[in-house]
Amino acid sequence: MRFQLSEELEMTREAVRHFAEKEAGPNAVKRDSEERFERGLFAQMGELGLCGIVIPERYDGAGSGFLTYVVALEELARVCASTAAVLAAHTAFSAWPILQFGSESLKRKALTVLAGGRRLAAGGLPSQGKQDNGIVAAADENGYVLSGKHPLVLNAGAADDYVLFASLERRQSKADLTAFLIESGTPGFRTGNKVQKLGLRSLMTAEVVLENCRIPAGNIIGKPGQGSRIAESLVDIARLGTAAQALGIAQGALEAATEYAKQRKQFGLLIGRRQGISFKLADMATRIEAARLLAYQAAWRKDEGLSFAKDAAIASSYAVKTAINACLEAIQVFGGYGYMREYRMERFSRDAKCLETSIGTGGMDTDIHSRILMK
């Protein structure tokens, strides 16, 4: 039985699809080639309400659920995965922690501008590097002084606000991890080396360096020492985004390959009429539908207030594998053209592979899933 979406949600899908094809699609290849973030495109997403899908209306958000969020990311990634990744990082790594754990004053200060796309947010999981590569926070009379660096922050270099984790008092123990909201113009804050990636190349990713960066106590997200819980929460939300992005890439690959198979003739016969091609397309469509059901189910469970961590891990793992497979199969359908940049398959393949390690090392979702099953 097909997962039945509401009429309102289907209308949202059509609106996002129209936006993606008209605004995000035309320059996707150029943005990818230049590794360039387009701020105007993000502002348009804000005007459309996409930057605040899961943020309540009282903070100027759309007040929708995570199923709507997943559908929107799916439609964006179907055309340009980097555009979807920018929105996913803005939401999962930044807006969500503030919404879930921030004080009321911090929510009103930060979420209202993030929801409207007037400010772009960045974030990253706590750094797992050596002690001298992490961020530490020392308390003073007005708040905290942060020093250190994080090597991989999503949206860094383009963002206005950053959600970063620091260990208190240089002890660097798990119990001391604390989340902070840091504005890009704060003295002592700067972005460092830009990361050059295989895929998702117009999702800016860079090092963040803090040198005696003073942050007021009001910019703590949650309570001091609550950082580990916040990080675990955002990982589950990030997995929903990863599943949605992978699903969109897979759907885009299937549609492109199917359209090509309907037009390309070989030895006088459309290649789509040959079993070697038609069977590939049928298998792709089957796997994509399964991935869609898994992603929608995980998002639905989140919206219903049910446990969803296991479902998000399964959906993310399966959808990413489906996307990688779909892109490889689509390249086979296109033949030599599949390797050329003017066709989407080359970019889609790189983007899909990049999603495989977007939250952690390859296999992390499978590992998390297995741990949950063994409880």
Side-chain angles (χ1 to χ4, degrees):
M1 180 177 173
R2 187 177 178 85
F3 198 105
Q4 186 66 43
L5 299 180
S6 67
E7 182 178 349
E8 180 181 358
L9 196 47
E10 289 292 0
M11 290 175 63
T12 298
R13 180 195 296 282
E14 289 301 316
V16 178
R17 176 169 291 200
H18 176 75
F19 168 81
E21 292 178 347
K22 181 181 177 182
E23 304 295 342
N27 291 319
V29 172
K30 186 176 182 181
R31 287 195 304 272
D32 176 82
S33 178
E34 296 175 353
E35 300 185 55
R36 175 174 55 84
F37 168 74
E38 190 173 321
R39 187 58 183 254
L41 190 61
F42 179 77
Q44 287 179 290
M45 287 197 287
E47 293 173 1
L48 197 59
L50 301 182
C51 298
I53 291 176
V54 300
I55 297 176
E57 293 180 358
R58 65 180 178 275
Y59 304 120
D60 294 341
S64 298
F66 279 90
L67 185 53
T68 303
Y69 173 69
V70 164
V71 169
L73 288 179
E74 175 190 355
E75 290 301 325
L76 290 172
R78 173 180 161 270
V79 175
C80 178
S82 286
T83 299
V86 168
L87 179 59
H90 172 86
T91 303
F93 285 88
S94 305
W96 168 254
I98 297 171
L99 174 64
Q100 190 71 4
F101 298 94
S103 66
E104 184 62 25
S105 60
L106 186 61
K107 291 176 185 178
R108 294 196 177 279
K109 168 188 172 183
L111 291 181
T112 53
V113 289
L114 295 181
R118 297 190 296 278
R119 291 177 72 88
L120 172 67
L125 291 175
S127 176
Q128 299 297 315
K130 296 180 181 179
Q131 182 169 335
D132 61 353
N133 284 337
I135 300 174
V136 295
D140 69 3
E141 64 276 10
N142 297 316
Y144 292 85
V145 179
L146 275 60
S147 296
K149 62 183 178 180
H150 192 303
L152 295 169
V153 178
L154 303 179
N155 284 336
D160 307 291
D161 297 314
Y162 292 71
V163 172
L164 298 175
F165 296 84
S167 296
L168 301 180
E169 300 297 339
R170 296 188 178 276
R171 285 176 290 179
Q172 299 236 328
S173 66
K174 187 175 181 181
D176 292 325
L177 200 64
T178 302
F180 294 86
L181 175 65
I182 306 170
E183 297 179 13
S184 60
T186 304
F189 171 94
R190 65 181 175 88
T191 54
N193 296 326
K194 179 181 175 182
V195 177
Q196 294 182 309
K197 307 187 299 297
L198 172 71
L200 302 177
R201 296 176 65 183
S202 53
L203 165 68
M204 297 295 96
T205 308
E207 176 187 58
V208 167
V209 181
L210 303 175
E211 298 172 340
N212 296 319
C213 186
R214 294 185 178 275
I215 306 300
N219 277 34
I220 286 183
I221 301 172
K223 299 177 181 178
Q226 201 177 19
S228 293
R229 180 185 169 192
I230 296 173
E232 290 171 2
S233 174
L234 74 83
V235 164
D236 292 334
I237 301 303
R239 286 199 179 99
L240 291 178
T242 299
Q245 293 168 71
L247 177 58
I249 291 172
Q251 184 65 39
L254 172 63
E255 291 175 5
T258 301
E259 185 63 28
Y260 184 77
K262 291 178 179 178
Q263 299 175 3
R264 174 77 165 115
K265 285 187 177 182
Q266 192 174 52
F267 304 113
L269 183 67
L270 290 172
I271 63 172
R273 299 287 186 181
R274 299 182 182 277
Q275 288 186 347
I277 298 298
S278 62
F279 284 9
K280 282 183 183 293
L281 297 174
D283 287 344
M284 288 165 63
T286 301
R287 292 191 180 98
I288 291 169
E289 190 66 14
R292 179 171 288 111
L293 291 173
L294 289 171
Y296 287 7
Q297 174 181 261
W300 175 82
R301 289 184 65 86
K302 169 60 181 169
D303 287 339
E304 292 297 310
L306 303 172
S307 62
F308 74 103
K310 179 186 73 172
D311 304 85
I314 293 172
S316 175
S317 177
Y318 187 80
V320 169
K321 291 175 183 177
T322 297
I324 293 172
N325 176 265
C327 290
L328 293 177
E329 293 286 47
I331 287 175
Q332 292 298 313
V333 173
F334 275 90
Y337 292 115
Y339 295 93
M340 298 181 182
R341 284 198 170 185
E342 53 263 39
Y343 290 85
R344 308 191 263 186
M345 294 309 100
E346 179 267 345
R347 172 168 53 90
F348 276 15
S349 297
R350 291 186 286 103
D351 290 344
K353 190 63 180 175
C354 197
L355 284 174
E356 192 173 39
T357 55
S358 64
I359 304 302
T361 56
M364 181 176 175
D365 286 335
T366 302
D367 178 60
I368 296 297
H369 178 204
S370 66
R371 288 170 186 248
I372 293 171
L373 288 176
M374 295 302 293
K375 284 184 178 180

